[in-house]
Amino acid sequence: MTDNSPNLFPTLDRRRLVTGLANFGALAALGLSPPAFATGTASIPLLEAKQYNLEELVAQARALARRPWTPPRRIAPEILEKVDYDAFQQIRFREAAAVSAGPGGAWPLAPFHLHRFADLPVALHLVTDQGARQLGYAPNAFEYRGELQAEDFPADMGYAGFRLLNTDGNPGDWLALMGASYFRSSDPMNQYGLSARGLAIDTTAPGRTEEFPRFTSFWLDQRNPERLILDALLDSPSLSGAYRMEIVRGQSTEMTVTSRLFFREGVTQLGVAPLTSMFWYSETNRHSASDWRPEVHDSDGLVLWTGAGERIWRPLNNPPQVTTSSFLDENPRGFGLMQRDRAFANYEDDAVFYERRPAVWIEPLGDWGRGSVQLIEIPTDDEIHDNIVCFWTPERETSAGDEMAWDYRLVWTADPMAPEGLGRTVATRIGRAGVPGQPRPEGGNKIAIDFLGGRLAEFGSTDPIEPMITTSAGQIDGTYALRVVGTDTWRLIFDVYPEDAEVLELRAFLAYEGAPMTETWAMQHRPVAF
């Protein structure tokens, strides 16, 4: 189901927030600012230890939701408004002030300075057998190189969030949490890209303003040598929540997320396990791009593994207006935003390395019931805007006093999440309908889909591989499939004539003797005039 309404939510307000956080996150976490940390004498004080455990955090979230929401107090908004992108570059954290978030010096933690787009302090705690000790604010943990100096800020200002520094020889950090409930990892290729969030509320709910729940406090357990245990308290006008993330780094970084939500009031659209990314253009819509690079995107497709077992690849779009696509399901097995294209030659960007951007896979733990994966695509004309959002929305409505639990595994990976035993989509291209050298018919597009993997390499072009194509409107013609000479890639080609339809929902896969040989390619196609 697709909604092409142009006024689903105030995109400018949202874009300002998300773009601001993305830019500051890139600066602080991607090494775009001066690569060397400032040095010098610095220390972050630890306050008095207090009793803490997860059960108490859950009880705190439940009790918080029973009280009216209190808007957080902004700290020195006039001065923080001056900490824009350029000013933030001049404030550097001193490496000597990093504190350990794990045993034996593991996981050095570097707090973020407050700034224009993250001007609400969060409480950071380290947990030991003696209890939880909050990190006090330390002005000398930062070096101020611009017009703004430490004395311009309140002495008890606090921190915007934190990042965990690499200790494996790679520069920078591998995990960053800052602003609302946003977090992201640069694993496994030491390159940041898309972001995850704790929760999304009313992102595209008609007549509602999007609400950004905020992680207000964090607890990092210093006692576990094998995994990072991170707890967080979530709060917003509509609900409160307790989160635990158990994080294990490896070839892929896995986060086992446990969440307990307590509702102050009903939520029209609840977004569970939300992901936010950027898609400007790829080979699919290269004809509309104004940039010299072949492709520019953090993610190029949505992967779905439905409760019924179907594997789906949905190429991302940069639509002319805000568009919501709903994929109805029951007990989904997984979904995520992928960066499948890993060839440098398809980006030619040796500054930000889009081919290294991580993919993120969400695997529900337990039954999630009936609902839908929502994909929101927002128009963009530049790579600085995060314009792609996806999350799970339960069918069940929420009311004041409700309690919900959502558990899932979130994986930061380079894996394209290819379905086992099936070919995966590796490219989608669009051109003029018809046959070269012959008069071209009007009003049609030719679509070429490349599939690779699974059992496809076992078949040749003379084998009876059958194209299976459906469309929501219009007509399909000129269909054929062949194995690309000298490769294991299979190509499905067809012409589509939309007739009067402005948007077509297309689905296609290759079959052999009635059985699917590939995942289902599902594209929302807007006719292109060449």
Side-chain angles (χ1 to χ4, degrees), residues 45-290:
L46 295 177
L47 306 184
E48 182 181 355
K50 296 182 179 180
Q51 181 177 334
Y52 172 79
N53 57 53
L54 182 60
E55 290 73 20
E56 291 179 348
L57 177 60
V58 172
Q60 181 181 355
R62 180 183 288 111
L64 195 60
R66 291 172 179 168
R67 301 195 297 267
W69 182 69
T70 301
R73 183 176 67 90
R74 282 179 160 76
I75 305 296
E78 298 82 4
I79 188 66
L80 287 178
E81 184 64 23
K82 298 179 182 179
V83 187
D84 58 13
Y85 184 85
D86 292 329
F88 193 67
Q89 292 188 69
Q90 303 303 314
I91 303 174
R92 301 296 298 154
F93 181 77
R94 298 179 186 273
E95 187 177 31
V99 297
S100 175
W107 306 309
L109 181 152
F112 282 118
H113 197 281
L114 291 169
H115 56 77
R116 175 185 292 181
F117 292 97
D119 59 354
L120 297 174
V122 300
L124 305 178
H125 305 81
L126 299 179
V127 180
T128 67
D129 288 335
Q130 286 71 46
R133 301 183 68 186
Q134 184 174 346
L135 275 63
Y137 178 64
N140 67 351
F142 299 92
E143 183 177 20
Y144 297 83
R145 297 180 176 181
E147 294 183 5
L148 296 173
Q149 296 297 307
E151 55 268 23
D152 294 320
F153 299 92
D156 59 348
M157 183 172 64
Y159 304 110
F162 69 93
R163 53 190 175 130
L164 299 183
L165 308 180
N166 282 315
T167 57
D168 57 2
N170 285 319
D173 47 87
W174 64 274
L175 180 67
L177 297 93
M178 177 176 63
S181 63
Y182 282 87
F183 61 95
R184 57 182 178 170
S185 176
S186 63
D187 288 341
M189 292 174 285
N190 200 37
Q191 188 72 41
Y192 281 96
L194 78 169
S195 300
R197 273 191 282 170
L199 202 67
I201 294 179
D202 291 340
T203 304
T204 58
R208 305 274 292 187
T209 299
E210 183 173 15
E211 188 174 306
F212 289 88
R214 190 173 77 91
F215 285 140
T216 62
S217 301
F218 296 96
W219 291 262
L220 295 100
D221 196 323
Q222 289 187 304
R223 296 169 294 181
N224 195 311
E226 298 179 354
R227 63 186 61 208
L228 173 65
I229 298 179
L230 170 63
D231 294 346
L233 177 65
L234 186 82
D235 198 24
S236 78
S238 297
L239 55 80
S240 294
Y243 279 70
R244 166 160 287 186
M245 302 181 194
E246 297 189 37
I247 306 172
V248 178
R249 297 185 76 187
Q251 290 186 341
S252 296
T253 290
E254 295 190 3
M255 301 179 176
T256 301
V257 181
T258 301
S259 67
R260 300 294 179 263
L261 304 179
F262 307 95
F263 290 80
R264 288 189 178 91
E265 58 183 57
V267 170
T268 301
Q269 182 191 51
L270 185 67
V272 178
L275 303 175
T276 301
S277 191
M278 180 275 293
F279 177 85
W280 186 8
Y281 62 91
S282 68
E283 83 279 351
T284 306
N285 62 331
R286 181 70 185 86
H287 52 272
S288 65
S290 58

Side-chain angles (χ1 to χ4, degrees), residues 178-428:
M178 177 176 63
S181 63
Y182 282 87
F183 61 95
R184 57 182 178 170
S185 176
S186 63
D187 288 341
M189 292 174 285
N190 200 37
Q191 188 72 41
Y192 281 96
L194 78 169
S195 300
R197 273 191 282 170
L199 202 67
I201 294 179
D202 291 340
T203 304
T204 58
R208 305 274 292 187
T209 299
E210 183 173 15
E211 188 174 306
F212 289 88
R214 190 173 77 91
F215 285 140
T216 62
S217 301
F218 296 96
W219 291 262
L220 295 100
D221 196 323
Q222 289 187 304
R223 296 169 294 181
N224 195 311
E226 298 179 354
R227 63 186 61 208
L228 173 65
I229 298 179
L230 170 63
D231 294 346
L233 177 65
L234 186 82
D235 198 24
S236 78
S238 297
L239 55 80
S240 294
Y243 279 70
R244 166 160 287 186
M245 302 181 194
E246 297 189 37
I247 306 172
V248 178
R249 297 185 76 187
Q251 290 186 341
S252 296
T253 290
E254 295 190 3
M255 301 179 176
T256 301
V257 181
T258 301
S259 67
R260 300 294 179 263
L261 304 179
F262 307 95
F263 290 80
R264 288 189 178 91
E265 58 183 57
V267 170
T268 301
Q269 182 191 51
L270 185 67
V272 178
L275 303 175
T276 301
S277 191
M278 180 275 293
F279 177 85
W280 186 8
Y281 62 91
S282 68
E283 83 279 351
T284 306
N285 62 331
R286 181 70 185 86
H287 52 272
S288 65
S290 58
D291 194 87
W292 63 271
R293 292 163 293 180
E295 301 182 35
V296 177
H297 49 79
D298 285 339
S299 307
D300 53 9
L302 169 69
V303 169
L304 302 165
W305 189 7
T306 71
E310 185 179 17
R311 304 297 292 260
I312 299 173
W313 170 259
R314 163 60 155 78
L316 296 179
N317 290 321
N318 182 4
Q321 65 269 338
V322 178
T323 301
T324 300
S325 299
S326 299
F327 300 86
L328 302 178
D329 202 358
E330 182 173 1
N331 296 327
R333 303 186 189 185
F335 66 92
L337 291 176
M338 299 293 116
Q339 184 78 314
R340 277 188 172 174
D341 193 335
R342 296 296 181 190
F344 173 80
N346 290 340
Y347 303 96
E348 292 292 344
D349 194 322
D350 61 353
V352 297
F353 299 103
Y354 285 111
E355 75 280 1
R356 301 180 189 172
R357 302 297 169 109
V360 174
W361 177 249
I362 305 294
E363 178 187 346
L365 300 177
D367 292 342
W368 279 13
R370 294 179 59 83
S372 62
V373 174
Q374 301 277 308
L375 174 66
I376 298 100
E377 297 165 307
I378 305 168
T380 189
D381 59 2
D382 204 332
E383 63 200 285
I384 66 171
H385 303 304
D386 279 355
N387 64 317
I388 303 295
V389 184
C390 79
F391 47 73
W392 171 258
T393 294
E395 181 182 75
R396 172 191 164 190
E397 297 183 358
T398 62
S399 303
D402 282 351
E403 299 185 5
M404 283 187 167
W406 300 98
D407 300 337
Y408 54 93
R409 185 173 292 111
L410 189 155
V411 183
W412 304 83
T413 180
D415 193 317
M417 300 310 296
E420 185 176 355
L422 297 177
R424 70 184 187 276
T425 308
V426 295
T428 301

